[in-house]
Amino acid sequence: DALPLNANGKIDRKALPAPEGHGSDEASYVAPSTREEVLLAELWQDLLGVERVGVTDNFFALGGHSLLAMRLVSRLRSRAAVELPIRRVFEQPTIAGLASSLRALQQEAELPLIAGDLSGPQPLSYAQQRLWFLYRLEGPGSAYNMPYASELAGEFDLALLQAALQALVARHAVFRTRIVEHDGEAWQLIDAQASLALPLIDLSALPLAVREVETRRLAAADAKRPFVLEEGRLLRASVVRQGPEQHALLLNVHHIIADGWSLGVFATELGQLLQAIAQGQPSPLAPLPVQYADFARWQREWLSGERLERQVAFWRAELADLPPVLELPTDKARPAQRRYRSGQVQVALDAELRRAVEAISRTQGVTPFMTLLASVQVLLARYSGQWDFALGTPVAGRGRSEVESLIGFFANTVVLRSDAQPERSFAQLLQAVKARALSAYEHQDLPFEQLVDRLNPERSLSHSPLFQVLFLAELGETARNAVTDENAIQARALADTTATRQAKFDLSIAVVGSGDGLAVSLEYDTDLFEPSTMQAWAGNYAQLLRSLVGMPERAVGEVEWLAEHERVAALETGQGAALTTSADSLVELIAAQVARTPAATALIDGETRIDYASLWQ
C-alpha cells in the first residue's frame, strides 16, 4: 500500500522487495545458444535492464526505442567489430533475427578510437568548430550558456561539494580546456591541472523575502554572464546561502564543451562522488578510456574520403528540390534579420492520449517518437499548405560505446523530410516516416554544419537553412538530480532563473513524458508569432493527435484538428459586416503584400509555386 520510508522520510531502498524479472515467460522462453545469441542477450540485458532474454523476445516490447537501438549498434561495433545498420534492429527485433544478420555481415575496417597525447594543441570537433565560428562572429554572449540552478535543503558541506566538483574537473579534460586561434585556425589547449573556485554568497542576514528575490537575481545574472573561450574555465559554480539549511547551487557550462547528454553524465557522477567522498571512500567511477579531444581528432580522421562522400551523397539525394522555407502563417512579417527573441507556451496531454500514442506505435511497429513526428508533420502541413518540407531533430551523436560516459559536445542535428501527403492514411504515413527516419539515422554522422556547406542551400539572415522548425520527443524519464545525497541534501530546480533562451528557429516543438501524460512545449520566435496564436496551435495539436491515433486509417488531410469554438468561428466567417479597407482595389492590396513579403508563396498549383514578386510581375 505504501513505499517503505527511512527515518529521514525518504524511500528505504533496502526494505524494498526485489523486482520481478521481465522477459520471456517460462512456457515460451528459448535460451540463447549460439555465440551471437549469447552476446546479443548480454547486451539487451544491460541496455534494457532485464534479468533474462530469450531468443524470441522483441527488443521494442521489452522497452527498447530508437536511442537504445543506436546504443546497441554501438556496443556491437565495439564487442564484435560488426557494423549493424540500425534498420536491422527494426526489421528483425528478436535475438534470433539479429543473430542471423550478425553472422551474415562482413566486418568493415574501423579506425580505432584510442587515447592519445593531449599535451599539445588538439583539433576541434566539427560541432565545436561551428560554435567557435559563431563566437568569433558575434563575440562573447550567453546564447550558448547551459545554466542550472537548484535549491538545496538540508545539511550542507561546502568543502564536500567543492571536492566532488574538483574531482570531475580532474576526470574530464573538457573542463580544463581553452579554445585558442593560431594562424587562422582554432585549437583546443588542455591544462594539465585546473582548480574550480566555488564562491559562497551569504544572504542569510537579509529578510526571507529579499533572500529569495536576490537568489533569483543572482541566478539570472550568472546565466547571462558570457564565457571567454580563450581563457578557459568553461564550467563555473557558486553557492548562495539563504539560511543554515537552505542553499542554492548555481552551475553554468558553455555548450562548446557539453550537451544535454553530458548534463546527465555530470549529474550521475557528481552524485556518486559526493557519496563516496562523504564516506571516505575512493572514487567509484571507472577510468575513462578516452577524452573528448581524442574523439575530436578521431572524428576528423574517420569522417573523410569515401565514407564522407557516401554520407554527402545520401543527403544530397534525400533533400533534393527541398523548398527553402516552410511558410507558416505568421502574425507578423518576417524581419530581414533574426533577433532570436523567444517565447514559450505549454500544454498538458492526459494519460489516456499517451497510452493511445504508445498503443498505435506498438501495433504499427514504430517508436512513439515516429508517431509524434508524423503528427507534427501533419499539423505543420495543414497550417502551411505545404506537404513537402523538412524538420530538424537533435540526436545524441554518440555512435561509439567509448564516448557514452564522456562529457563533451557530441550532439548533432538530423534533417527529416516530411512524408505527410493529404491522401495518405495516418497508418501509411507512419510507415513512410519510419523508413525515412531509419535512413536518416544511418547517415547521422555527417555534422549538420558540413551538410549545409556541401548542399549550399539558399541562405538568408531571416531564417535558418534547410529547416525552420525543430522537433524533439522523449517519453522516457530523463531528469536526473545532480546533487541529491541519499542521507542529506534534497535539490529542487529554481524556477524562472534561466530566462536566457534564444529562439534559434521559427518554432521548436518538444513532447516529453510528464507523469502519466505528456507535456507539449512550443518555443517560438516572438518577432513572428503572438502568444495567443501559439496557445491555439498547442490546442490544435492536442486535438489533431487525438484524431490521428483514434482513426489511423483516415486520410490525414481530412482529420479534424480544430477545437469546437474555432470550427464554429470559421463557419461564421463571412456572415458578418463587410471588411473595410483604405485600398481602392484588389490590385492595391496585392501590391502592399508584395512589398511586405516578396519571397513568400502566393499561389500553389500542384507542384508549381509562385511567390508574390513573380505574381506581381
PDB file of all heavy atoms in Angstrom, residues 338-372:
ATOM      1  N   ARG A 338      17.099  37.919 -38.149  1.00  0.00           N
ATOM      2  CA  ARG A 338      16.560  37.365 -36.912  1.00  0.00           C
ATOM      3  C   ARG A 338      17.178  38.034 -35.691  1.00  0.00           C
ATOM      4  O   ARG A 338      18.358  38.368 -35.676  1.00  0.00           O
ATOM      5  CB  ARG A 338      16.833  35.855 -36.843  1.00  0.00           C
ATOM      6  CG  ARG A 338      15.954  35.036 -37.768  1.00  0.00           C
ATOM      7  CD  ARG A 338      16.304  33.569 -37.657  1.00  0.00           C
ATOM      8  NE  ARG A 338      17.649  33.317 -38.179  1.00  0.00           N
ATOM      9  CZ  ARG A 338      18.352  32.219 -37.937  1.00  0.00           C
ATOM     10  NH1 ARG A 338      17.855  31.294 -37.137  1.00  0.00           N
ATOM     11  NH2 ARG A 338      19.552  32.053 -38.461  1.00  0.00           N
ATOM     12  N   ARG A 339      16.336  38.198 -34.655  1.00  0.00           N
ATOM     13  CA  ARG A 339      16.818  38.753 -33.391  1.00  0.00           C
ATOM     14  C   ARG A 339      16.741  37.711 -32.272  1.00  0.00           C
ATOM     15  O   ARG A 339      17.065  38.014 -31.129  1.00  0.00           O
ATOM     16  CB  ARG A 339      16.009  39.998 -33.037  1.00  0.00           C
ATOM     17  CG  ARG A 339      16.249  41.154 -34.012  1.00  0.00           C
ATOM     18  CD  ARG A 339      15.474  42.384 -33.632  1.00  0.00           C
ATOM     19  NE  ARG A 339      14.035  42.213 -33.830  1.00  0.00           N
ATOM     20  CZ  ARG A 339      13.127  43.152 -33.615  1.00  0.00           C
ATOM     21  NH1 ARG A 339      13.525  44.347 -33.171  1.00  0.00           N
ATOM     22  NH2 ARG A 339      11.848  42.931 -33.833  1.00  0.00           N
ATOM     23  N   TYR A 340      16.267  36.503 -32.577  1.00  0.00           N
ATOM     24  CA  TYR A 340      16.298  35.350 -31.661  1.00  0.00           C
ATOM     25  C   TYR A 340      15.495  35.577 -30.387  1.00  0.00           C
ATOM     26  O   TYR A 340      15.799  35.010 -29.343  1.00  0.00           O
ATOM     27  CB  TYR A 340      17.742  34.979 -31.304  1.00  0.00           C
ATOM     28  CG  TYR A 340      18.626  34.742 -32.498  1.00  0.00           C
ATOM     29  CD1 TYR A 340      19.529  35.712 -32.921  1.00  0.00           C
ATOM     30  CD2 TYR A 340      18.559  33.557 -33.212  1.00  0.00           C
ATOM     31  CE1 TYR A 340      20.347  35.504 -34.026  1.00  0.00           C
ATOM     32  CE2 TYR A 340      19.371  33.336 -34.318  1.00  0.00           C
ATOM     33  CZ  TYR A 340      20.263  34.309 -34.719  1.00  0.00           C
ATOM     34  OH  TYR A 340      21.060  34.092 -35.799  1.00  0.00           O
ATOM     35  N   ARG A 341      14.449  36.394 -30.465  1.00  0.00           N
ATOM     36  CA  ARG A 341      13.631  36.638 -29.271  1.00  0.00           C
ATOM     37  C   ARG A 341      12.676  35.467 -29.058  1.00  0.00           C
ATOM     38  O   ARG A 341      11.981  35.043 -29.967  1.00  0.00           O
ATOM     39  CB  ARG A 341      12.863  37.946 -29.427  1.00  0.00           C
ATOM     40  CG  ARG A 341      13.778  39.161 -29.519  1.00  0.00           C
ATOM     41  CD  ARG A 341      13.006  40.439 -29.743  1.00  0.00           C
ATOM     42  NE  ARG A 341      13.875  41.610 -29.748  1.00  0.00           N
ATOM     43  CZ  ARG A 341      13.454  42.844 -29.981  1.00  0.00           C
ATOM     44  NH1 ARG A 341      12.173  43.076 -30.206  1.00  0.00           N
ATOM     45  NH2 ARG A 341      14.313  43.842 -29.976  1.00  0.00           N
ATOM     46  N   SER A 342      12.656  34.972 -27.833  1.00  0.00           N
ATOM     47  CA  SER A 342      11.987  33.701 -27.563  1.00  0.00           C
ATOM     48  C   SER A 342      10.791  33.864 -26.643  1.00  0.00           C
ATOM     49  O   SER A 342      10.812  34.641 -25.692  1.00  0.00           O
ATOM     50  CB  SER A 342      12.995  32.731 -26.930  1.00  0.00           C
ATOM     51  OG  SER A 342      12.359  31.581 -26.448  1.00  0.00           O
ATOM     52  N   GLY A 343       9.730  33.114 -26.957  1.00  0.00           N
ATOM     53  CA  GLY A 343       8.587  32.955 -26.072  1.00  0.00           C
ATOM     54  C   GLY A 343       8.258  31.482 -25.977  1.00  0.00           C
ATOM     55  O   GLY A 343       8.729  30.668 -26.778  1.00  0.00           O
ATOM     56  N   GLN A 344       7.449  31.111 -25.012  1.00  0.00           N
ATOM     57  CA  GLN A 344       7.154  29.692 -24.828  1.00  0.00           C
ATOM     58  C   GLN A 344       5.747  29.505 -24.264  1.00  0.00           C
ATOM     59  O   GLN A 344       5.316  30.261 -23.394  1.00  0.00           O
ATOM     60  CB  GLN A 344       8.170  29.056 -23.880  1.00  0.00           C
ATOM     61  CG  GLN A 344       8.096  27.533 -23.801  1.00  0.00           C
ATOM     62  CD  GLN A 344       9.195  26.963 -22.911  1.00  0.00           C
ATOM     63  OE1 GLN A 344       9.228  27.216 -21.717  1.00  0.00           O
ATOM     64  NE2 GLN A 344      10.102  26.199 -23.502  1.00  0.00           N
ATOM     65  N   VAL A 345       5.040  28.507 -24.790  1.00  0.00           N
ATOM     66  CA  VAL A 345       3.761  28.095 -24.220  1.00  0.00           C
ATOM     67  C   VAL A 345       3.806  26.584 -24.029  1.00  0.00           C
ATOM     68  O   VAL A 345       4.535  25.879 -24.726  1.00  0.00           O
ATOM     69  CB  VAL A 345       2.560  28.483 -25.120  1.00  0.00           C
ATOM     70  CG1 VAL A 345       2.511  29.977 -25.337  1.00  0.00           C
ATOM     71  CG2 VAL A 345       2.622  27.752 -26.453  1.00  0.00           C
ATOM     72  N   GLN A 346       3.029  26.101 -23.073  1.00  0.00           N
ATOM     73  CA  GLN A 346       2.989  24.670 -22.783  1.00  0.00           C
ATOM     74  C   GLN A 346       1.557  24.214 -22.608  1.00  0.00           C
ATOM     75  O   GLN A 346       0.688  24.987 -22.183  1.00  0.00           O
ATOM     76  CB  GLN A 346       3.798  24.347 -21.527  1.00  0.00           C
ATOM     77  CG  GLN A 346       5.302  24.567 -21.672  1.00  0.00           C
ATOM     78  CD  GLN A 346       6.059  24.185 -20.420  1.00  0.00           C
ATOM     79  OE1 GLN A 346       5.581  24.375 -19.310  1.00  0.00           O
ATOM     80  NE2 GLN A 346       7.260  23.646 -20.599  1.00  0.00           N
ATOM     81  N   VAL A 347       1.324  22.960 -22.942  1.00  0.00           N
ATOM     82  CA  VAL A 347       0.016  22.357 -22.727  1.00  0.00           C
ATOM     83  C   VAL A 347       0.228  20.918 -22.278  1.00  0.00           C
ATOM     84  O   VAL A 347       1.178  20.248 -22.720  1.00  0.00           O
ATOM     85  CB  VAL A 347      -0.844  22.411 -24.018  1.00  0.00           C
ATOM     86  CG1 VAL A 347      -0.210  21.594 -25.138  1.00  0.00           C
ATOM     87  CG2 VAL A 347      -2.267  21.939 -23.748  1.00  0.00           C
ATOM     88  N   ALA A 348      -0.613  20.446 -21.384  1.00  0.00           N
ATOM     89  CA  ALA A 348      -0.508  19.080 -20.865  1.00  0.00           C
ATOM     90  C   ALA A 348      -1.506  18.181 -21.586  1.00  0.00           C
ATOM     91  O   ALA A 348      -2.657  18.574 -21.827  1.00  0.00           O
ATOM     92  CB  ALA A 348      -0.766  19.067 -19.362  1.00  0.00           C
ATOM     93  N   LEU A 349      -1.059  16.986 -21.948  1.00  0.00           N
ATOM     94  CA  LEU A 349      -1.921  15.969 -22.550  1.00  0.00           C
ATOM     95  C   LEU A 349      -2.119  14.841 -21.549  1.00  0.00           C
ATOM     96  O   LEU A 349      -1.171  14.446 -20.859  1.00  0.00           O
ATOM     97  CB  LEU A 349      -1.289  15.432 -23.848  1.00  0.00           C
ATOM     98  CG  LEU A 349      -0.889  16.476 -24.894  1.00  0.00           C
ATOM     99  CD1 LEU A 349      -0.355  15.797 -26.149  1.00  0.00           C
ATOM    100  CD2 LEU A 349      -2.071  17.374 -25.233  1.00  0.00           C
ATOM    101  N   ASP A 350      -3.321  14.297 -21.493  1.00  0.00           N
ATOM    102  CA  ASP A 350      -3.647  13.357 -20.432  1.00  0.00           C
ATOM    103  C   ASP A 350      -3.046  11.973 -20.675  1.00  0.00           C
ATOM    104  O   ASP A 350      -2.530  11.653 -21.750  1.00  0.00           O
ATOM    105  CB  ASP A 350      -5.165  13.258 -20.254  1.00  0.00           C
ATOM    106  CG  ASP A 350      -5.878  12.868 -21.547  1.00  0.00           C
ATOM    107  OD1 ASP A 350      -5.364  12.013 -22.283  1.00  0.00           O
ATOM    108  OD2 ASP A 350      -6.955  13.431 -21.822  1.00  0.00           O
ATOM    109  N   ALA A 351      -3.140  11.137 -19.645  1.00  0.00           N
ATOM    110  CA  ALA A 351      -2.563   9.789 -19.683  1.00  0.00           C
ATOM    111  C   ALA A 351      -3.247   8.921 -20.739  1.00  0.00           C
ATOM    112  O   ALA A 351      -2.600   8.059 -21.355  1.00  0.00           O
ATOM    113  CB  ALA A 351      -2.682   9.138 -18.306  1.00  0.00           C
ATOM    114  N   GLU A 352      -4.537   9.141 -20.964  1.00  0.00           N
ATOM    115  CA  GLU A 352      -5.258   8.340 -21.965  1.00  0.00           C
ATOM    116  C   GLU A 352      -4.671   8.555 -23.362  1.00  0.00           C
ATOM    117  O   GLU A 352      -4.486   7.601 -24.125  1.00  0.00           O
ATOM    118  CB  GLU A 352      -6.739   8.720 -21.950  1.00  0.00           C
ATOM    119  CG  GLU A 352      -7.576   7.922 -22.955  1.00  0.00           C
ATOM    120  CD  GLU A 352      -9.033   8.338 -22.959  1.00  0.00           C
ATOM    121  OE1 GLU A 352      -9.401   9.215 -22.149  1.00  0.00           O
ATOM    122  OE2 GLU A 352      -9.805   7.790 -23.767  1.00  0.00           O
ATOM    123  N   LEU A 353      -4.350   9.815 -23.700  1.00  0.00           N
ATOM    124  CA  LEU A 353      -3.779  10.089 -25.013  1.00  0.00           C
ATOM    125  C   LEU A 353      -2.375   9.508 -25.122  1.00  0.00           C
ATOM    126  O   LEU A 353      -1.987   8.979 -26.165  1.00  0.00           O
ATOM    127  CB  LEU A 353      -3.756  11.600 -25.260  1.00  0.00           C
ATOM    128  CG  LEU A 353      -3.238  12.057 -26.633  1.00  0.00           C
ATOM    129  CD1 LEU A 353      -3.957  11.339 -27.763  1.00  0.00           C
ATOM    130  CD2 LEU A 353      -3.373  13.565 -26.774  1.00  0.00           C
ATOM    131  N   ARG A 354      -1.608   9.584 -24.032  1.00  0.00           N
ATOM    132  CA  ARG A 354      -0.275   8.981 -24.071  1.00  0.00           C
ATOM    133  C   ARG A 354      -0.369   7.480 -24.304  1.00  0.00           C
ATOM    134  O   ARG A 354       0.396   6.926 -25.098  1.00  0.00           O
ATOM    135  CB  ARG A 354       0.469   9.271 -22.765  1.00  0.00           C
ATOM    136  CG  ARG A 354       1.824   8.570 -22.691  1.00  0.00           C
ATOM    137  CD  ARG A 354       2.621   8.991 -21.494  1.00  0.00           C
ATOM    138  NE  ARG A 354       3.896   8.281 -21.424  1.00  0.00           N
ATOM    139  CZ  ARG A 354       4.900   8.614 -20.622  1.00  0.00           C
ATOM    140  NH1 ARG A 354       4.774   9.649 -19.808  1.00  0.00           N
ATOM    141  NH2 ARG A 354       6.018   7.927 -20.619  1.00  0.00           N
ATOM    142  N   ARG A 355      -1.297   6.830 -23.623  1.00  0.00           N
ATOM    143  CA  ARG A 355      -1.455   5.374 -23.826  1.00  0.00           C
ATOM    144  C   ARG A 355      -1.857   5.070 -25.259  1.00  0.00           C
ATOM    145  O   ARG A 355      -1.420   4.072 -25.847  1.00  0.00           O
ATOM    146  CB  ARG A 355      -2.482   4.817 -22.835  1.00  0.00           C
ATOM    147  CG  ARG A 355      -1.982   4.744 -21.402  1.00  0.00           C
ATOM    148  CD  ARG A 355      -2.906   3.907 -20.537  1.00  0.00           C
ATOM    149  NE  ARG A 355      -4.227   4.513 -20.404  1.00  0.00           N
ATOM    150  CZ  ARG A 355      -4.563   5.356 -19.440  1.00  0.00           C
ATOM    151  NH1 ARG A 355      -3.671   5.679 -18.507  1.00  0.00           N
ATOM    152  NH2 ARG A 355      -5.784   5.865 -19.365  1.00  0.00           N
ATOM    153  N   ALA A 356      -2.692   5.943 -25.847  1.00  0.00           N
ATOM    154  CA  ALA A 356      -3.113   5.734 -27.237  1.00  0.00           C
ATOM    155  C   ALA A 356      -1.921   5.877 -28.189  1.00  0.00           C
ATOM    156  O   ALA A 356      -1.793   5.119 -29.156  1.00  0.00           O
ATOM    157  CB  ALA A 356      -4.211   6.729 -27.600  1.00  0.00           C
ATOM    158  N   VAL A 357      -1.040   6.857 -27.932  1.00  0.00           N
ATOM    159  CA  VAL A 357       0.170   7.024 -28.754  1.00  0.00           C
ATOM    160  C   VAL A 357       1.054   5.790 -28.652  1.00  0.00           C
ATOM    161  O   VAL A 357       1.561   5.278 -29.665  1.00  0.00           O
ATOM    162  CB  VAL A 357       0.939   8.289 -28.310  1.00  0.00           C
ATOM    163  CG1 VAL A 357       2.334   8.327 -28.947  1.00  0.00           C
ATOM    164  CG2 VAL A 357       0.159   9.542 -28.666  1.00  0.00           C
ATOM    165  N   GLU A 358       1.238   5.293 -27.445  1.00  0.00           N
ATOM    166  CA  GLU A 358       2.102   4.125 -27.262  1.00  0.00           C
ATOM    167  C   GLU A 358       1.479   2.875 -27.880  1.00  0.00           C
ATOM    168  O   GLU A 358       2.177   2.025 -28.448  1.00  0.00           O
ATOM    169  CB  GLU A 358       2.374   3.921 -25.774  1.00  0.00           C
ATOM    170  CG  GLU A 358       3.223   5.048 -25.170  1.00  0.00           C
ATOM    171  CD  GLU A 358       3.312   4.993 -23.659  1.00  0.00           C
ATOM    172  OE1 GLU A 358       2.435   4.349 -23.035  1.00  0.00           O
ATOM    173  OE2 GLU A 358       4.243   5.608 -23.094  1.00  0.00           O
ATOM    174  N   ALA A 359       0.143   2.769 -27.804  1.00  0.00           N
ATOM    175  CA  ALA A 359      -0.533   1.597 -28.355  1.00  0.00           C
ATOM    176  C   ALA A 359      -0.435   1.561 -29.877  1.00  0.00           C
ATOM    177  O   ALA A 359      -0.119   0.518 -30.469  1.00  0.00           O
ATOM    178  CB  ALA A 359      -1.996   1.588 -27.911  1.00  0.00           C
ATOM    179  N   ILE A 360      -0.715   2.686 -30.534  1.00  0.00           N
ATOM    180  CA  ILE A 360      -0.646   2.684 -32.004  1.00  0.00           C
ATOM    181  C   ILE A 360       0.793   2.499 -32.470  1.00  0.00           C
ATOM    182  O   ILE A 360       1.045   1.904 -33.528  1.00  0.00           O
ATOM    183  CB  ILE A 360      -1.264   3.974 -32.588  1.00  0.00           C
ATOM    184  CG1 ILE A 360      -1.484   3.798 -34.095  1.00  0.00           C
ATOM    185  CG2 ILE A 360      -0.391   5.187 -32.324  1.00  0.00           C
ATOM    186  CD1 ILE A 360      -2.232   4.951 -34.735  1.00  0.00           C
ATOM    187  N   SER A 361       1.754   2.963 -31.688  1.00  0.00           N
ATOM    188  CA  SER A 361       3.160   2.763 -32.037  1.00  0.00           C
ATOM    189  C   SER A 361       3.498   1.279 -32.030  1.00  0.00           C
ATOM    190  O   SER A 361       4.194   0.778 -32.927  1.00  0.00           O
ATOM    191  CB  SER A 361       4.062   3.522 -31.065  1.00  0.00           C
ATOM    192  OG  SER A 361       3.786   4.910 -31.095  1.00  0.00           O
ATOM    193  N   ARG A 362       2.990   0.560 -31.031  1.00  0.00           N
ATOM    194  CA  ARG A 362       3.246  -0.892 -30.972  1.00  0.00           C
ATOM    195  C   ARG A 362       2.596  -1.614 -32.133  1.00  0.00           C
ATOM    196  O   ARG A 362       3.212  -2.455 -32.794  1.00  0.00           O
ATOM    197  CB  ARG A 362       2.743  -1.448 -29.640  1.00  0.00           C
ATOM    198  CG  ARG A 362       3.598  -1.097 -28.443  1.00  0.00           C
ATOM    199  CD  ARG A 362       3.214  -1.932 -27.234  1.00  0.00           C
ATOM    200  NE  ARG A 362       1.831  -1.684 -26.839  1.00  0.00           N
ATOM    201  CZ  ARG A 362       1.459  -0.753 -25.963  1.00  0.00           C
ATOM    202  NH1 ARG A 362       2.375   0.021 -25.405  1.00  0.00           N
ATOM    203  NH2 ARG A 362       0.185  -0.579 -25.642  1.00  0.00           N
ATOM    204  N   THR A 363       1.333  -1.301 -32.409  1.00  0.00           N
ATOM    205  CA  THR A 363       0.618  -2.031 -33.457  1.00  0.00           C
ATOM    206  C   THR A 363       1.171  -1.725 -34.845  1.00  0.00           C
ATOM    207  O   THR A 363       1.129  -2.576 -35.730  1.00  0.00           O
ATOM    208  CB  THR A 363      -0.884  -1.689 -33.426  1.00  0.00           C
ATOM    209  OG1 THR A 363      -1.056  -0.268 -33.580  1.00  0.00           O
ATOM    210  CG2 THR A 363      -1.502  -2.107 -32.102  1.00  0.00           C
ATOM    211  N   GLN A 364       1.731  -0.532 -35.035  1.00  0.00           N
ATOM    212  CA  GLN A 364       2.267  -0.153 -36.343  1.00  0.00           C
ATOM    213  C   GLN A 364       3.753  -0.464 -36.473  1.00  0.00           C
ATOM    214  O   GLN A 364       4.345  -0.243 -37.537  1.00  0.00           O
ATOM    215  CB  GLN A 364       2.035   1.338 -36.594  1.00  0.00           C
ATOM    216  CG  GLN A 364       0.573   1.734 -36.690  1.00  0.00           C
ATOM    217  CD  GLN A 364      -0.111   1.128 -37.910  1.00  0.00           C
ATOM    218  OE1 GLN A 364       0.493   0.963 -38.960  1.00  0.00           O
ATOM    219  NE2 GLN A 364      -1.382   0.774 -37.752  1.00  0.00           N
ATOM    220  N   GLY A 365       4.387  -0.954 -35.404  1.00  0.00           N
ATOM    221  CA  GLY A 365       5.798  -1.301 -35.472  1.00  0.00           C
ATOM    222  C   GLY A 365       6.717  -0.105 -35.573  1.00  0.00           C
ATOM    223  O   GLY A 365       7.764  -0.172 -36.224  1.00  0.00           O
ATOM    224  N   VAL A 366       6.339   1.015 -34.918  1.00  0.00           N
ATOM    225  CA  VAL A 366       7.167   2.216 -34.923  1.00  0.00           C
ATOM    226  C   VAL A 366       7.408   2.631 -33.477  1.00  0.00           C
ATOM    227  O   VAL A 366       6.819   2.090 -32.548  1.00  0.00           O
ATOM    228  CB  VAL A 366       6.489   3.372 -35.701  1.00  0.00           C
ATOM    229  CG1 VAL A 366       6.225   2.964 -37.132  1.00  0.00           C
ATOM    230  CG2 VAL A 366       5.181   3.800 -35.020  1.00  0.00           C
ATOM    231  N   THR A 367       8.289   3.609 -33.293  1.00  0.00           N
ATOM    232  CA  THR A 367       8.521   4.136 -31.953  1.00  0.00           C
ATOM    233  C   THR A 367       7.568   5.303 -31.688  1.00  0.00           C
ATOM    234  O   THR A 367       7.073   5.932 -32.628  1.00  0.00           O
ATOM    235  CB  THR A 367       9.967   4.635 -31.813  1.00  0.00           C
ATOM    236  OG1 THR A 367      10.179   5.723 -32.718  1.00  0.00           O
ATOM    237  CG2 THR A 367      10.963   3.524 -32.117  1.00  0.00           C
ATOM    238  N   PRO A 368       7.305   5.624 -30.401  1.00  0.00           N
ATOM    239  CA  PRO A 368       6.479   6.803 -30.108  1.00  0.00           C
ATOM    240  C   PRO A 368       7.039   8.077 -30.726  1.00  0.00           C
ATOM    241  O   PRO A 368       6.271   8.954 -31.131  1.00  0.00           O
ATOM    242  CB  PRO A 368       6.485   6.859 -28.579  1.00  0.00           C
ATOM    243  CG  PRO A 368       6.656   5.425 -28.156  1.00  0.00           C
ATOM    244  CD  PRO A 368       7.584   4.835 -29.179  1.00  0.00           C
ATOM    245  N   PHE A 369       8.371   8.190 -30.816  1.00  0.00           N
ATOM    246  CA  PHE A 369       8.959   9.358 -31.470  1.00  0.00           C
ATOM    247  C   PHE A 369       8.447   9.474 -32.902  1.00  0.00           C
ATOM    248  O   PHE A 369       8.088  10.569 -33.355  1.00  0.00           O
ATOM    249  CB  PHE A 369      10.490   9.258 -31.471  1.00  0.00           C
ATOM    250  CG  PHE A 369      11.164  10.289 -32.352  1.00  0.00           C
ATOM    251  CD1 PHE A 369      11.439  11.554 -31.858  1.00  0.00           C
ATOM    252  CD2 PHE A 369      11.496  10.009 -33.668  1.00  0.00           C
ATOM    253  CE1 PHE A 369      12.039  12.515 -32.671  1.00  0.00           C
ATOM    254  CE2 PHE A 369      12.093  10.956 -34.486  1.00  0.00           C
ATOM    255  CZ  PHE A 369      12.366  12.212 -33.980  1.00  0.00           C
ATOM    256  N   MET A 370       8.412   8.371 -33.630  1.00  0.00           N
ATOM    257  CA  MET A 370       7.967   8.406 -35.020  1.00  0.00           C
ATOM    258  C   MET A 370       6.494   8.777 -35.116  1.00  0.00           C
ATOM    259  O   MET A 370       6.084   9.521 -36.017  1.00  0.00           O
ATOM    260  CB  MET A 370       8.227   7.060 -35.684  1.00  0.00           C
ATOM    261  CG  MET A 370       9.701   6.701 -35.799  1.00  0.00           C
ATOM    262  SD  MET A 370       9.951   4.993 -36.364  1.00  0.00           S
ATOM    263  CE  MET A 370      11.744   4.860 -36.254  1.00  0.00           C
ATOM    264  N   THR A 371       5.680   8.287 -34.182  1.00  0.00           N
ATOM    265  CA  THR A 371       4.259   8.636 -34.177  1.00  0.00           C
ATOM    266  C   THR A 371       4.068  10.129 -33.932  1.00  0.00           C
ATOM    267  O   THR A 371       3.285  10.806 -34.619  1.00  0.00           O
ATOM    268  CB  THR A 371       3.528   7.824 -33.096  1.00  0.00           C
ATOM    269  OG1 THR A 371       3.648   6.429 -33.385  1.00  0.00           O
ATOM    270  CG2 THR A 371       2.054   8.198 -33.030  1.00  0.00           C
ATOM    271  N   LEU A 372       4.781  10.657 -32.955  1.00  0.00           N
ATOM    272  CA  LEU A 372       4.658  12.084 -32.646  1.00  0.00           C
ATOM    273  C   LEU A 372       5.230  12.947 -33.766  1.00  0.00           C
ATOM    274  O   LEU A 372       4.683  14.007 -34.085  1.00  0.00           O
ATOM    275  CB  LEU A 372       5.357  12.375 -31.319  1.00  0.00           C
ATOM    276  CG  LEU A 372       4.722  11.708 -30.090  1.00  0.00           C
ATOM    277  CD1 LEU A 372       5.652  11.785 -28.894  1.00  0.00           C
ATOM    278  CD2 LEU A 372       3.372  12.336 -29.770  1.00  0.00           C
TER     279      LEU A 372
END
